[in-house]
Amino acid sequence: MLVRQAPDIRTADITDERHYVNRRAWLRTAVGGALATAAVAAVPGSPLVTPVSAQAALPNVKKSGYTVDEKWNSYEDITGYNNFYEFGTDKEDPARYAGKMTTRPWTVKIDGACAKPADYNIDDMLKWFPLEERVYRFRCVEAWSMVIPWVGFPLADLVKRVEPTGKAKYVQFTTLMRPTEMFGQRDPVLQWPYTEGLRLDEALHPLTLLAVGVYGKTLPNQNGAPLRLVVPWKYGFKSIKSIVRIRFTESQPATAWNQSNAREYGFYSNVNPEVDHPRWTQSRERRIGEFFRRKTLMFNGYDQVASLYAGMDLKKHY
Ligand code: MTE
């Protein structure tokens, strides 16, 4: 059900300078140079942002080959400038309010077309897979981007373990629904709970990650604790946070942004500089912390996924 026209990833977020970087990133860019960096470094962690030390260190994390050699965004950028509409629509709302969300006990229901459906306790699940650090480009549909050192494991490892049947063609993901802790769910900006989906071959691609941490520590709530998806060649809204359900389906599942505005947010949502969003260009992006815009790359630079879409018209399947 469409609850509000273009429930917004808002135009203001694209055009208004105050919105495109958080205050610290803006300070660094505007003032520039070592002095500004030193001044920022000297300021203790913003009270709005979880300090890196507050999260538990993740042991035995291996470096992954699936890593880009680009400058990482700061922890403050990554944990202070977020989209998590369950906690409000402003970029600083998740850091401010997501602390209310309880992330233990946490169960992930796996069901639908698979041989081993069950309610899995996250702490059991985390013992199954070795963790890797993967530094990925992350491109939001709002035309900003970051470079983020995630910690996680390939979604493919989990998918294979629960043995999808021949009927499984897609995977649907669902976020926690708990309006007592997620006050944004009382506001119908999206159809709650937040859902997302992938084709099974996309879910099995080695780049598709289930993240449990960032910067070597567990995820802060605002980034989707305790478990979130990261699909680096797709717009950021595909990377659903705080997952409680993974369901294998035969037909293409409903997804929150597509339900709210199908013309603006397609099911595929591959990063594509040649297909503009109806309200703004996707050919360029602002890397948070940089002043000049850079060119957006097809598939966000992850060319190795191109074969998944061979023969498809990506202007039609945006
Ligand atoms: N997942 C849920 N449950 N709710 C959301 O509002 N926002 C999406 C995605 N996952 C969102 C979500 C969008 S629009 C983006 S850009 C990324 O989360 C932002 O991830 P980050 O805050 O870790 O950078």
Side-chain angles (χ1 to χ4, degrees):
M1 184 180 59
L2 186 74
V3 282
R4 184 157 107 194
Q5 189 60 29
D8 284 317
I9 290 183
R10 292 162 303 178
T11 312
D13 288 340
I14 308 303
T15 53
D16 185 341
E17 189 175 272
R18 285 168 305 165
H19 284 81
Y20 67 67
V21 282
N22 70 19
R23 287 196 203 99
R24 285 169 176 228
W26 183 84
L27 181 69
R28 272 200 303 282
T29 324
V31 183
L35 183 63
T37 310
V40 169
V43 177
S46 154
L48 297 181
V49 172
T50 316
V52 72
S53 55
Q55 300 299 132
L58 288 162
N60 305 322
V61 176
K62 296 206 175 70
K63 304 267 176 216
S64 159
Y66 291 103
T67 274
V68 294
D69 188 14
E70 291 178 35
K71 186 169 175 280
W72 301 4
N73 277 89
S74 69
Y75 192 72
E76 284 86 356
D77 291 341
I78 295 167
T79 63
Y81 187 80
N82 302 101
N83 281 325
F84 199 166
Y85 277 25
E86 285 85 339
F87 298 102
T89 55
D90 284 347
K91 293 287 178 282
E92 292 180 346
D93 285 341
R96 222 181 247 132
Y97 302 118
K100 281 193 191 332
M101 178 172 63
T102 317
T103 58
R104 287 296 187 284
W106 193 275
T107 304
V108 181
K109 177 183 276 303
I110 301 188
D111 64 348
C114 67
K116 295 185 175 164
D119 289 348
Y120 292 97
N121 177 293
I122 183 136
D123 293 311
D124 296 338
M125 193 189 266
L126 291 183
K127 290 182 199 135
W128 300 341
F129 311 111
L131 295 180
E132 299 174 20
E133 178 173 80
R134 295 186 174 198
V135 183
Y136 279 168
R137 291 180 211 103
F138 189 84
R139 170 62 156 81
C140 180
V141 74
E142 296 165 332
W144 53 264
S145 64
M146 295 202 206
V147 173
I148 305 183
W150 301 108
V151 177
F153 55 90
L155 172 63
D157 290 356
L158 178 63
V159 169
K160 286 176 194 155
R161 189 165 170 128
V162 298
E163 299 172 15
T165 66
K167 284 193 168 164
K169 302 281 185 282
Y170 294 86
V171 191
Q172 185 185 42
F173 305 85
T174 307
T175 293
L176 178 70
M177 178 77 184
R178 194 180 286 156
T180 51
E181 295 180 359
M182 305 165 107
F183 75 90
Q185 289 178 333
R186 298 178 200 167
D187 186 355
V189 283
L190 286 173
Q191 195 168 313
W192 309 113
Y194 194 105
T195 50
E196 257 309 333
L198 295 174
R199 232 170 43 191
L200 187 64
D201 59 344
E202 297 176 321
L204 288 170
H205 194 279
L207 279 171
T208 306
L209 194 71
L210 278 173
V212 297
V214 67
Y215 261 88
K217 312 251 182 176
T218 54
L219 286 173
N221 286 0
Q222 60 265 35
N223 292 91
L227 184 75
R228 60 93 51 89
L229 188 67
V230 180
V231 194
W233 71 92
K234 291 182 182 278
Y235 292 121
F237 66 88
K238 298 297 283 184
S239 293
I240 181 173
K241 297 177 170 181
S242 305
I243 296 168
V244 292
R245 186 173 180 194
I246 299 176
R247 187 166 72 97
F248 295 90
T249 64
E250 200 168 1
S251 50
Q252 187 176 300
T255 63
W257 283 102
N258 184 252
Q259 277 178 314
S260 73
N261 191 335
R263 201 175 73 89
E264 299 196 356
Y265 309 107
F267 177 80
Y268 282 92
S269 296
N270 290 319
V271 175
N272 188 342
E274 284 165 21
V275 178
D276 286 340
H277 184 281
R279 290 184 282 141
W280 59 81
T281 176
Q282 292 292 21
S283 66
R284 302 184 80 76
E285 68 199 49
R286 190 177 303 281
R287 178 71 51 89
I288 298 294
E290 293 180 356
F291 191 74
F292 294 106
R293 285 173 196 269
R294 47 168 77 210
K295 275 191 175 163
T296 285
L297 303 173
M298 186 67 201
F299 301 121
N300 204 19
Y302 293 97
D303 297 332
Q304 61 266 54
V305 301
S307 60
L308 295 176
Y309 309 104
M312 275 176 71
D313 178 352
L314 295 181
K315 291 204 161 83
K316 194 166 154 224
H317 299 283
Y318 55 86

